[in-house]
Amino acid sequence: MGAELIISAVRPDQFPAETLPEVAFLGRSNVGKSSLLNCLAGQDGLAFTSATPGRTQSINFYRIDGRVLFVDLPGYGYAKVPKPIKAEWKGLIESYLVERKTLDMCFLILDSRRGWMEKDLELRDWLEFHNRRFTIIATKMDKLKTQKEKHHGMKALQSHCSSEFLPFSAVGCRGAREIWQAILKIKSNQ
Ligand SMILES: Nc1nc2c(ncn2[C@@H]2O[C@H](COP(=O)(O)OP(=O)(O)O)[C@@H](O)[C@H]2O)c(=O)[nH]1
Ligand SMILES: [Mg+2]
């Protein structure tokens, strides 16, 4: 599989031409967006992952196999970012999510230990309001080790939302095949 970074856009005028279908990766800082993207692209280190939250400040566009773009967005909910910078990100992200014609699917990524947090719910409502199609992915499944943790995690994920979610872990890229199937399904439905 060929995967390459096209551009790290910090302004809307830097977004690439609207040609290929796009999948956007959304979620809180540090939830595992870039790790998921790397697994799906089959390329470790393609998207920059970090143990320090709030690192991705641009919208990064990756071309995968010449047929789909993966779009890594800055994470939300990171309190240490200065307000004016936050406002700028918000403008950038909103202009992408509202206006992008080739955006076909948003992956709303949740931490399976935490489930829905306030900012995730806000984003979900926002996506629904704007009629954006989204799929929920519960990542870091490997962190649910005991039966008790698994039970608690499932309950947290199932609250607030009746929609199904796709389980995933970047450890061994478990669940990547099912997520790819979901991507291919959107494309064949068009
Ligand atoms: N155990 C585990 N760690 C993960 C998983 N996904 C991401 N991480 C770790 O969580 C941190 C943040 O991941 P990253 O992909 O950079 O998150 P992003 O800020 O949402 O892009 C990194 O230290 C990753 O190694 C996962 O499925 N399991
Ligand atoms: Mg990232």
Side-chain angles (χ1 to χ4, degrees):
M1 188 165 9
E4 56 181 329
L5 174 68
I6 305 174
I7 192 166
S8 288
V10 291
R11 297 189 314 268
D13 63 11
Q14 296 173 324
F15 295 166
E18 295 171 303
T19 49
L20 294 171
E22 289 176 13
V23 178
F25 293 70
L26 297 164
R28 274 174 299 108
S29 293
N30 231 33
V31 74
K33 294 177 293 299
S34 302
S35 303
L36 168 64
L37 195 152
N38 287 340
C39 274
L40 294 177
Q43 222 163 292
D44 235 22
L46 176 71
F48 183 71
T49 61
S50 168
T52 319
R55 275 295 180 81
T56 313
Q57 304 183 7
S58 48
I59 299 188
N60 299 328
F61 293 82
Y62 300 89
R63 190 188 294 114
I64 311 296
D65 248 2
R67 57 181 176 161
V68 59
L69 298 192
F70 282 178
V71 186
D72 197 10
L73 285 106
Y76 47 85
Y78 181 52
K80 282 186 196 149
V81 176
K83 271 239 168 81
I85 296 181
K86 243 193 212 169
E88 202 173 294
W89 286 4
K90 198 164 173 258
L92 183 70
I93 298 169
E94 279 191 355
S95 76
Y96 174 78
L97 290 174
V98 172
E99 287 157 30
R100 194 74 176 167
K101 292 190 194 73
T102 40
L103 173 60
D104 290 326
M105 172 61 81
C106 296
F107 283 151
L108 206 175
I109 303 156
L110 304 176
D111 185 326
S112 54
R113 292 165 302 176
R114 303 208 167 105
W116 293 89
M117 299 186 69
E118 200 180 310
K119 287 268 189 279
D120 304 317
L121 292 166
E122 273 174 31
L123 178 65
R124 179 201 63 187
D125 293 348
W126 192 93
L127 291 172
E128 277 175 354
F129 179 79
H130 289 278
N131 277 320
R132 279 298 189 193
R133 187 166 20 187
F134 63 90
T135 298
I136 298 146
I137 295 180
T139 192
K140 304 195 183 182
M141 289 296 286
D142 58 284
K143 299 229 180 186
L144 301 178
K145 292 204 165 74
T146 64
Q147 271 315 107
K148 198 175 158 198
E149 281 167 342
K150 283 186 184 135
H151 179 74
H152 183 265
M154 289 305 125
K155 255 179 95 173
L157 288 165
Q158 281 157 354
S159 64
H160 301 298
C161 202
S162 53
S163 328
E164 302 242 323
F165 60 86
L166 296 171
F168 179 74
S169 166
V171 178
C173 295
R174 292 190 69 171
R177 186 157 33 101
E178 290 74 10
I179 297 172
W180 257 117
Q181 279 165 357
I183 295 170
L184 296 173
K185 207 157 104 192
I186 350 161
K187 286 187 67 191
S188 62
N189 280 347
Q190 281 172 344

